[in-house]
């Protein structure tokens, strides 16, 4: 608890004195006035990624979805901080105009993982942040919670291709709690959970003992641990931060039953696509 309090005090000093040079490079980052004020006052802030806006769906559905997600965060008493890079400047918290600009840029924005951040900034480009880049910037700003759809993971046949999402490595080194609908269904979920264990990442499932799979409630994989209430989630995050474990936390909330697709149907479609791709 004491370490977390010291972190909040340090964060408060940073926002009250924004011109003081920082060893973490925050001077390169633009934090919106609303997000900055919320962090300074210790109010809850939730980080949001932006790849879903640029690459997830076409305009104007992407803008409508982004606004709806931000509205849901506000309705639940927190301040949304959508993260993106615009004209080479990492932005933590987008104005309505910036949100619309990113939505209209769409796929012309670079899909930006941690690997790509320096190049997008150095070239003055526009970047939509993935899970790994969003976690990086959220941690830099002192935002402890990040909400997304599905995280990346180990791809099928990853033992041969070494195709492993940087999301997993980021979870292993960046202390941000990521709330998602689980691992994307197209991935190798058992190997993804093994990789998270190797990285020392606490992977919890919310109100279920089975790890969810994004489109579906069930994956056939047992969740490493279970939490059943917001209070249990808070205690888990508090214990993690107080112990300074240095890794992220993954809390997977299954998609509601009324929106869930059949696991067998999704898997058969994936297998058909993989066969056609080969």
């Amino acid at each position: 608890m004491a370490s977390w309090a010291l972190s909040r005090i340090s964060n408060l000093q940073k926002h009250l004195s924004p011109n003081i040079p920082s060893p973490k490079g925050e001077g390169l980052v633009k934090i919106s006035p609303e997000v900055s004020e919320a962090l300074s006052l210790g109010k809850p802030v939730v980080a949001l990624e932006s790849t879903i806006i640029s690459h997830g769906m076409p305009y104007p559905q992407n803008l409508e979805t982004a606004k709806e997600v931000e509205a849901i965060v506000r309705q639940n008493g927190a301040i949304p901080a959508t993260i993106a890079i615009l004209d080479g400047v990492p932005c933590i918290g987008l104005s309505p105009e910036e949100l619309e600009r990113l939505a209209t840029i769409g796929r012309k924005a670079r899909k930006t993982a941690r690997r790509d951040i320096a190049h997008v900034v150095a070239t003055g480009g526009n970047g939509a942040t993935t899970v790994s880049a969003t976690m990086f910037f959220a941690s830099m700003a002192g935002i402890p919670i990040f909400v997304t759809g599905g995280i990346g993971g180990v791809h099928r046949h990853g033992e041969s291709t070494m195709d492993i999402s940087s999301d997993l490595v980021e979870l292993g080194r960046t202390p941000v709690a990521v709330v998602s609908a689980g691992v994307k269904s197209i991935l190798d979920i058992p190997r993804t959970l093994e990789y998270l264990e190797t990285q020392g990442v606490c992977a919890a499932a919310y109100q279920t003992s089975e790890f969810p799979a994004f489109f579906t409630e069930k994956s056939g994989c047992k969740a490493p641990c279970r939490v059943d209430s917001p209070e249990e989630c808070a205690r888990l995050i508090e214990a993690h931060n107080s112990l300074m474990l240095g890794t992220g936390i993954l809390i997977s909330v299954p998609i509601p039953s009324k929106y869930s697709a059949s696991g067998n149907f999704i898997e058969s479609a994936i297998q058909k696509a993989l066969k056609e791709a080969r």
Side-chain angles (χ1 to χ4, degrees), residues 120-241:
V120 175
V121 170
T123 57
N126 297 309
T129 55
T130 64
V131 169
S132 64
T134 305
M135 285 186 70
F136 172 79
F137 286 122
S139 178
M140 176 186 285
I143 301 172
I145 306 288
F146 163 41
V147 174
T148 187
I151 68 161
V154 178
H155 283 252
R156 299 185 189 217
H157 309 297
E159 71 278 12
S160 301
T161 65
M162 294 300 291
D163 192 350
I164 301 170
S165 171
S166 63
D167 296 354
L168 303 187
V169 179
E170 202 65 40
L171 276 161
R173 65 183 171 190
T174 302
V176 171
V178 179
V179 181
S180 82
V183 177
K184 291 171 184 173
S185 307
I186 61 171
L187 304 175
D188 187 325
I189 295 176
R191 283 192 171 93
T192 297
L193 289 171
E194 286 287 349
Y195 196 91
L196 287 170
E197 189 274 333
T198 300
Q199 292 288 314
V201 176
C202 176
Y206 187 72
Q207 295 183 348
T208 179
S209 297
E210 186 166 337
F211 198 79
F214 193 38
F215 292 122
T216 67
E217 299 172 90
K218 301 181 182 298
S219 66
C221 300
K222 187 176 185 227
C225 68
R226 171 175 176 156
V227 285
D228 285 306
S229 68
E231 292 77 14
E232 284 189 26
C233 293
R235 285 194 290 271
L236 177 64
I237 295 169
E238 177 62 28
H240 180 274
N241 291 335

Side-chain angles (χ1 to χ4, degrees), residues 3-211:
S3 64
W4 188 239
L6 287 172
S7 173
R8 299 302 294 179
I9 291 170
S10 174
N11 193 49
L12 173 63
Q13 291 173 335
K14 175 183 69 179
H15 288 283
L16 290 175
S17 306
N19 294 323
I20 297 176
S22 167
K24 292 178 71 179
E26 288 94 334
L28 297 172
V29 174
K30 172 186 164 187
I31 302 178
S32 75
E34 182 185 33
V35 172
S36 182
E37 179 184 21
L39 290 171
S40 297
L41 297 175
K43 293 181 179 179
V45 178
V46 175
L48 301 168
E49 62 149 288
S50 51
T51 297
I52 185 65
I53 302 171
S54 64
H55 290 68
M57 58 193 76
Y59 181 85
Q61 289 95 332
N62 56 355
L63 179 60
E64 293 166 359
T65 300
K67 287 180 176 179
E68 184 178 354
V69 171
E70 288 200 349
I72 291 170
V73 172
R74 293 184 193 281
Q75 288 162 12
N76 285 275
I79 301 299
T82 300
I83 296 174
I85 302 174
L86 296 174
D87 298 323
V89 178
C91 300
I92 300 175
L94 300 184
S95 68
E97 294 76 21
E98 289 169 332
L99 203 61
E100 179 154 12
R101 182 185 171 201
L102 182 64
T104 54
I105 290 172
R107 289 179 174 269
K108 291 180 182 177
R110 180 166 178 178
K111 190 174 181 180
T112 304
R114 176 192 269 254
R115 173 198 68 177
D116 312 300
I117 292 171
H119 185 255
V120 175
V121 170
T123 57
N126 297 309
T129 55
T130 64
V131 169
S132 64
T134 305
M135 285 186 70
F136 172 79
F137 286 122
S139 178
M140 176 186 285
I143 301 172
I145 306 288
F146 163 41
V147 174
T148 187
I151 68 161
V154 178
H155 283 252
R156 299 185 189 217
H157 309 297
E159 71 278 12
S160 301
T161 65
M162 294 300 291
D163 192 350
I164 301 170
S165 171
S166 63
D167 296 354
L168 303 187
V169 179
E170 202 65 40
L171 276 161
R173 65 183 171 190
T174 302
V176 171
V178 179
V179 181
S180 82
V183 177
K184 291 171 184 173
S185 307
I186 61 171
L187 304 175
D188 187 325
I189 295 176
R191 283 192 171 93
T192 297
L193 289 171
E194 286 287 349
Y195 196 91
L196 287 170
E197 189 274 333
T198 300
Q199 292 288 314
V201 176
C202 176
Y206 187 72
Q207 295 183 348
T208 179
S209 297
E210 186 166 337
F211 198 79

